[in-house]
Amino acid sequence: MTLLCEPYLLDPQPDGIHVLWHTEQVGRCQVVLVGVDVPRLTEQQAYAAATGPAESGDGWRRFAAETRPLSRMREDAESSVPGRTYAGVTPRRVYRHLARVGGLPAGRTPYRVVSVDDGGHATVTATYSLAPAVSPGRPVRLLLTSDHQLMPMVPANLATVGETAGTALDGVLMAGDMVNVPDRASDWFDSTRRPAFFASFAGRAAGRWPGASILPNTPLYPAIGNHEVMGRWSATGSLEEQFNDPQPGDWDVTTYAELFPVPRSDAGGPRWWSRTIGDVHLISLFATAVWRSPKLTGRGKFQEAAEDVDHPRRWGNGQFIFEPVARGSAQYRWLVNELASPAARAARYRVVMFHHPSHGLGHHSAPPFTDPVPTVRPGGISYHYPLADDHILRDVEPLLDEARVHLVLNGHSHLWNRFRNAAGVHWLETSNVGNSYGAYDVTSGRSRGLPDGYVQHGDPGGLAPIVPTVAPLAGPDGTALPYVASNEITVFTLLDTADGLVRSYRFDTVEPNATAVLFDEFPLDGA
């Protein structure tokens, strides 16, 4: 059986971890072999260990997977699946196999997946390694990233991560927007047109850079971005059209929840949750809004199309928020309790991750993160977003300040920039993997081009961007730039709590022999 992706790791526990992989058949056997002697097994021996009567042997143990279909996976005419074409929206059979591996000692243990298809053909993966949760208080090394969306620079970015930090980290913090259309299976697994999410993260991308085998060795900690949310289900139109057609109360994150069923919380399920990773307490929120066009004609952020005024089902309802996080909401109440929890208070570092960057130089930091205020006039409907009502700046940031959160990780604008507020909280976006929307700062000379009354350049939250401390890029006049916003230079960030430093690296994909350049470094405990 051919796997649609190499195994990936989720939600390590004190003595175990979750291993997941996907196929297009249920198959006869889906197991994980774990143990010090697993690397030495031949494929025939691995098959015998996977299918034989014994659940353990000399230097190996077997863990069976639970199998279930993914309920919303589809393809359409825009899909690029090897050897297949689709005339319209077509369901695609994809099965998730999830094994809960337990009884792990501290440190890393080798593992392999064995998948036997309906006809008896076996696939045995390469050897990877897994580990239980890092004990509370111990230092960790985490990759910070977001907004991969099948961008062409992603494999180069991840290949450079592997060369710089290795592939066996303590976690990948992904602040949303993993693919473009969440219900399109090939976006996740096997797109031939652009690098699929799991292919790049497993070192299996086609082209000059293959990516790196990070997720088979490192657990993923995800947050929901706007590209994890599907719109209204329809039997007609393309998947892209359905993705772009959510309505308030009529949107869906089923595929995200099925791909990443853990981590989860009692209150928010996989949509918002917290985990302690060594000496880091991580909180992941569902804070994102639908993306609407900023154009001032037709359906968009600021108005409905004139021809749609009398047809409410065609309205976009502006840039509405999916899951409330404002004061009084269920997510807000959970966050209040979580920040006050013993685990959060005891952690050396507190990190909060969500998609929308209310502090940022990117285009998507404006208009404010608040509910659109409609104005109805003869022949038109317009929307306004008061800055004073930004839910993150008004309601969430004061909680983070009071709880002495060390770092907030965002995404959404496809750039790198960072800030530090008066309470000492660092805000970082490190999502520059291609298709940058640019930076709107005095040093760039660019304005966002929004209607009057909105912040045209700079941080709408009023913070000054911080110039990289080691090797900033320079503008044409030699001015050091407080951002990286490029479709040739890609960026990633590592949090290493052994020394309490956050280090950002850039890599020029145009230079054939380039190496990663450390361009920014700052301590979480200080400025």
Side-chain angles (χ1 to χ4, degrees):
M1 178 183 291
T2 301
L3 306 188
L4 285 172
C5 67
E6 292 298 290
Y8 59 101
L9 306 178
L10 295 177
D11 200 22
Q13 301 296 303
D15 71 341
I17 197 167
H18 301 78
V19 184
L20 298 88
W21 63 99
H22 300 269
T23 64
E24 292 186 283
Q25 297 180 19
V26 173
R28 297 181 181 180
C29 176
Q30 307 287 344
V31 302
V32 182
L33 301 179
V34 180
V36 294
D37 285 335
V38 165
R40 290 191 283 272
L41 296 176
T42 66
E43 291 200 0
Q44 291 78 10
Q45 291 170 329
Y47 175 83
T51 58
E55 295 184 356
S56 63
D58 187 14
W60 62 267
R61 291 183 297 148
R62 184 175 73 205
F63 295 87
E66 299 173 355
T67 295
R68 59 163 294 173
L70 301 186
S71 61
R72 293 178 61 102
M73 284 297 187
R74 294 167 287 163
E75 303 288 358
D76 64 1
E78 299 303 312
S79 299
S80 53
V81 179
R84 306 182 201 178
T85 58
Y86 300 88
V89 175
T90 305
R92 184 175 177 186
R93 289 186 304 172
V94 175
Y95 294 92
R96 185 192 76 194
H97 312 289
L98 187 157
R100 295 171 177 84
V101 174
L104 292 175
R108 291 197 160 264
T109 303
Y111 82 96
R112 298 166 82 176
V113 163
V114 180
S115 176
V116 183
D117 67 17
D118 297 339
H121 177 264
T123 296
V124 181
T125 69
T127 299
Y128 303 112
S129 68
L130 45 69
V134 180
S135 299
R138 294 188 64 84
V140 293
R141 202 175 197 197
L142 306 172
L143 171 64
L144 314 182
T145 187
S146 73
D147 295 82
H148 285 194
Q149 292 183 240
L150 287 74
M151 296 301 174
M153 292 199 302
V154 170
N157 181 287
L158 296 178
T160 311
V161 171
E163 294 168 359
T164 305
T167 59
L169 305 170
D170 296 304
V172 174
L173 276 52
M174 168 68 75
D177 279 13
M178 289 174 263
V179 297
N180 286 317
V181 179
D183 284 1
R184 182 179 286 143
S186 51
D187 272 22
W188 295 101
F189 303 119
D190 53 5
S191 172
T192 59
R193 185 174 301 135
R194 300 176 71 181
F197 177 79
F198 286 116
S200 294
F201 256 129
R204 300 297 181 93
R208 181 175 175 184
W209 289 281
S213 58
I214 295 173
L215 292 190
N217 295 290
T218 301
L220 176 66
Y221 294 91
I224 297 177
N226 55 294
H227 277 271
E228 278 70 63
V229 185
M230 277 298 285
R232 290 185 288 191
W233 183 283
S234 173
T236 61
S238 69
L239 290 174
E240 184 80 30
E241 290 169 341
Q242 293 179 35
F243 163 71
N244 282 317
D245 193 33
Q247 298 295 315
D250 194 355
W251 46 266
D252 188 89
V253 292
T254 297
T255 291
Y256 172 88
E258 291 178 346
L259 288 170
F260 311 107
V262 288
R264 60 191 301 117
S265 67
D266 291 339
R271 300 204 280 191
W272 65 81
W273 47 266
S274 69
R275 286 294 183 272
T276 297
I277 313 169
D279 56 0
V280 171
H281 190 72
L282 172 65
I283 296 173
S284 179
L285 300 178
F286 183 5
T288 190
V290 64
W291 186 86
R292 298 295 191 203
S293 171
K295 294 181 180 179
L296 301 183
T297 58
R299 189 176 86 165
K301 296 180 193 291
F302 302 107
Q303 70 285 312
E304 301 293 351
E307 62 270 22
D308 292 344
V309 169
D310 296 326
H311 304 280
R313 279 192 58 82
R314 301 208 296 254
W315 293 355
N317 292 284
Q319 186 169 282
F320 66 87
I321 294 169
F322 289 118
E323 186 78 42
V325 74
R327 186 184 302 113
S329 68
Q331 189 172 194
Y332 178 91
R333 294 193 301 271
W334 175 85
L335 177 60
V336 170
N337 292 331
E338 182 57 36
L339 289 169
S341 69
R345 293 163 65 93
R348 180 183 179 190
Y349 297 113
R350 288 169 289 281
V351 176
V352 177
M353 173 174 66
F354 52 85
H355 189 61
H356 186 86
S358 282
H359 286 301
L361 299 178
H363 202 287
H364 292 346
S365 294
F369 189 76
T370 188
D371 298 315
V373 179
T375 298
V376 180
R377 61 187 188 281
I381 299 172
S382 61
Y383 298 104
H384 177 58
Y385 306 84
L387 180 58
D389 295 336
D390 186 298
H391 295 177
I392 294 172
L393 299 178
R394 184 193 67 190
D395 299 338
V396 174
E397 186 172 14
L399 293 181
L400 309 185
D401 292 350
E402 183 179 358
R404 299 177 65 187
V405 165
H406 296 82
L407 177 67
V408 178
L409 175 64
N410 296 132
H412 199 36
S413 280
H414 302 195
L415 50 67
W416 179 96
N417 56 193
R418 72 175 178 95
F419 308 84
R420 186 172 185 261
N421 69 14
V425 179
H426 298 275
W427 291 69
L428 171 70
E429 178 174 354
T430 178
S431 61
N432 199 121
V433 293
N435 193 31
S436 177
Y437 298 105
Y440 299 84
D441 177 66
V442 292
T443 56
S444 71
R446 301 182 64 186
S447 295
R448 290 188 175 95
L450 301 175
D452 292 341
Y454 294 102
V455 177
Q456 301 294 347
H457 64 263
D459 170 33
L463 300 182
I466 296 174
V467 174
T469 58
V470 180
L473 295 175
D477 61 354
T479 302
L481 302 178
Y483 59 83
V484 179
S486 170
N487 291 320
E488 296 175 345
I489 298 172
T490 186
V491 170
F492 63 88
T493 299
L494 297 170
L495 166 58
D496 190 341
T497 66
D499 53 17
L501 292 176
V502 180
R503 297 181 175 94
S504 292
Y505 299 81
R506 53 182 165 85
F507 174 70
D508 190 342
T509 62
V510 175
E511 295 293 330
N513 299 312
T515 57
V517 175
L518 173 66
F519 72 93
D520 183 66
E521 178 180 286
F522 68 92
L524 283 185
D525 287 326

